[in-house]
Amino acid sequence: DSLWDLAIAEVEKRENPDDDGKHVEVWEKSIFFMGNKNGGKTTIILRCLEREEIPKPTLALEYTFGRRARRHNTPKDIAHFWELGGGTSLLELIRIPITSNNVRSFAVVLVLDLSKPNELWTTMEKLLQVTRNHVNKILTKLEKTSPEVATEIKQRMRNNLQRDHPDYELVDPFPIPLVIIGSKYDIFHEFDSETRKIISKTLRFVSHYYGASLVFTSKSEALLLKARVLINHLAFGYDKSKSLSVDHSKPLFIPAGLDSLSQIGPPPVTDSDIGKMRANTPLELWRKVFEKTFPPKSFCNLQDTKDPAQDLQYAEYEVDAVRAQKNQ
């Protein structure tokens, strides 16, 4: 059979379900990983897909996928995993994986390196801002072409928080499902307790504000498993975890919608300082308090991006020889 014959047979099989009359739809989701450079994104993806590979540095935008069967003898569901490398230096590539065709089944995982608090807010803000702007553009387009899809997406993000939740009017949910992972908890755990408290409280506020889930992880199997539970829920529709951990002296695990501003408390700063800080939104106030403790590093990303042509993992003798000849 040619590839086309197989494709036709596959379509007919899907359109005309088996004799028992059950039509099983294949679940297809996409997840986009982004975050700090060397923050551990690839390691988390490999663990979710149960692959025993040694992670290689991600170049630009990488793609892989996973398949799982829900039950015995059912078609396997598919999850597409996209990963953006280079921290915040390649923001324009965010447009490639998220399109109007798949935005309904898309989710974002933001991996933040807890061991680098001075880069944390800048990385988070830039990546989430560009992603949000891009998704909003898609939604605006969808409002004209298929308004019911746009309404469904907007409504779904509001559903994370029950209408009777005291913070229902105070938060600004991200337009598509979002998970924030704080990586390298083993290094973070060595920080003094006050530093840990400020970072933890700030990330709790940001996650709650965006309607996101929050989990801290490291290379330890138990913590990776918790991150996997959240990602498998997005990728394969597995059950949500009911557990909750908000104690700052332990790794945080807070599924979306289970936190509240009253539990998080005010930004960790004295009342006299809060009066001096001019902020238009709660998010801006938290940013100012956070950056007072951890001044953001001014780092130029572009100088940081290595030329892929020089990267040994992509070496190809024939191509490189011709290239060297051309340069000469």
Side-chain angles (χ1 to χ4, degrees):
D1 285 0
S2 75
L3 187 59
W4 294 114
D5 297 330
L6 293 171
I8 292 165
E10 176 67 22
V11 168
E12 279 173 358
K13 199 168 92 186
R14 285 187 195 181
E15 285 174 355
N16 309 310
D18 300 336
D19 303 330
D20 60 4
K22 282 189 193 136
H23 180 63
V24 182
E25 200 178 335
V26 173
W27 164 293
E28 203 169 324
K29 295 279 179 179
S30 302
I31 300 192
F32 186 41
F33 283 77
M34 56 190 189
N36 288 88
K37 204 177 157 97
N38 304 325
K41 299 182 288 296
T42 312
T43 307
I44 294 167
I45 293 174
L46 292 174
R47 287 306 299 123
C48 284
L49 297 173
E50 295 173 13
R51 288 191 197 153
E52 299 294 328
E53 294 170 31
I54 294 163
K56 285 199 283 214
T58 301
L59 184 89
L61 189 64
E62 296 208 356
Y63 167 83
T64 185
F65 67 93
R67 298 173 74 204
R68 298 271 161 84
R70 263 176 279 187
R71 289 183 302 283
H72 188 55
N73 277 343
T74 57
K76 286 185 173 176
D77 295 330
I78 302 163
H80 307 280
F81 288 81
W82 294 87
E83 183 189 354
L84 180 72
T88 54
S89 61
L90 301 164
L91 292 171
E92 63 276 16
L93 294 181
I94 287 172
R95 299 196 307 264
I96 295 170
I98 311 177
T99 66
S100 49
N101 295 331
N102 65 13
V103 71
R104 254 170 112 169
S105 58
F106 223 95
V108 171
V109 175
L110 175 66
V111 180
L112 297 171
D113 186 338
L114 296 172
S115 69
K116 296 179 182 162
N118 299 75
E119 292 177 21
L120 202 137
W121 192 283
T122 322
T123 304
M124 173 179 75
E125 192 173 50
K126 278 187 179 173
L127 289 168
L128 290 182
Q129 218 169 8
V130 174
T131 309
R132 183 170 215 153
N133 292 344
H134 175 60
V135 172
N136 284 341
K137 271 185 201 158
I138 291 175
L139 290 178
T140 309
K141 213 157 68 178
L142 280 175
E143 276 166 1
K144 293 174 188 150
T145 55
S146 37
E148 64 288 346
V149 175
T151 312
E152 181 205 321
I153 292 169
K154 287 179 178 172
Q155 196 45 52
R156 191 178 59 192
M157 286 324 292
R158 273 281 168 201
N159 292 346
N160 260 343
L161 220 54
Q162 302 302 322
R163 266 188 186 280
D164 55 1
H165 193 291
D167 307 335
Y168 189 77
E169 295 298 332
L170 302 170
V171 296
D172 183 14
F174 204 68
I176 53 179
L178 173 65
V179 170
I180 296 178
I181 295 181
S183 66
K184 305 198 181 171
Y185 179 78
D186 44 343
I187 302 173
F188 174 75
H189 191 57
E190 304 298 319
F191 291 177
D192 68 84
S193 83
E194 200 47 43
T195 304
R196 289 207 310 269
K197 190 175 171 188
I198 293 172
I199 297 172
S200 298
K201 275 184 85 161
T202 304
L203 285 177
R204 274 181 71 183
F205 172 79
V206 170
S207 300
H208 184 57
Y209 186 75
Y210 284 134
S213 298
L214 175 66
V215 58
F216 283 3
T217 185
S218 70
K219 284 183 178 160
S220 103
E221 205 52 48
L223 288 185
L224 273 170
L225 196 66
K226 289 197 155 187
R228 243 175 83 183
V229 166
L230 287 176
I231 293 164
N232 279 336
H233 169 66
L234 295 175
F236 300 108
Y238 288 10
D239 290 343
K240 272 185 174 174
S241 172
K242 297 279 188 290
S243 70
L244 181 72
S245 166
V246 293
D247 182 350
H248 296 140
S249 59
K250 298 190 177 94
L252 297 182
F253 182 85
I254 310 170
L258 295 187
D259 214 340
S260 70
L261 295 174
S262 57
Q263 283 176 300
I264 297 165
V269 69
T270 61
D271 291 347
S272 61
D273 277 352
I274 274 201
K276 291 178 203 156
M277 290 180 178
R278 296 187 183 281
N280 298 323
T281 62
L283 193 68
E284 206 179 318
L285 178 66
W286 278 84
R287 184 186 59 132
K288 288 190 168 174
V289 171
F290 186 80
E291 291 186 343
K292 191 168 184 274
T293 317
F294 307 106
K297 273 189 184 165
S298 56
F299 49 95
C300 178
N301 276 307
L302 291 171
Q303 295 166 350
D304 207 25
T305 318
K306 289 209 297 279
D307 177 3
Q310 308 301 324
D311 195 321
L312 291 176
Q313 65 172 318
Y314 302 105
E316 283 190 48
Y317 177 72
E318 287 88 348
V319 178
D320 297 341
V322 176
R323 175 95 188 236
Q325 197 178 342
K326 177 177 183 289
N327 289 345
Q328 197 180 346

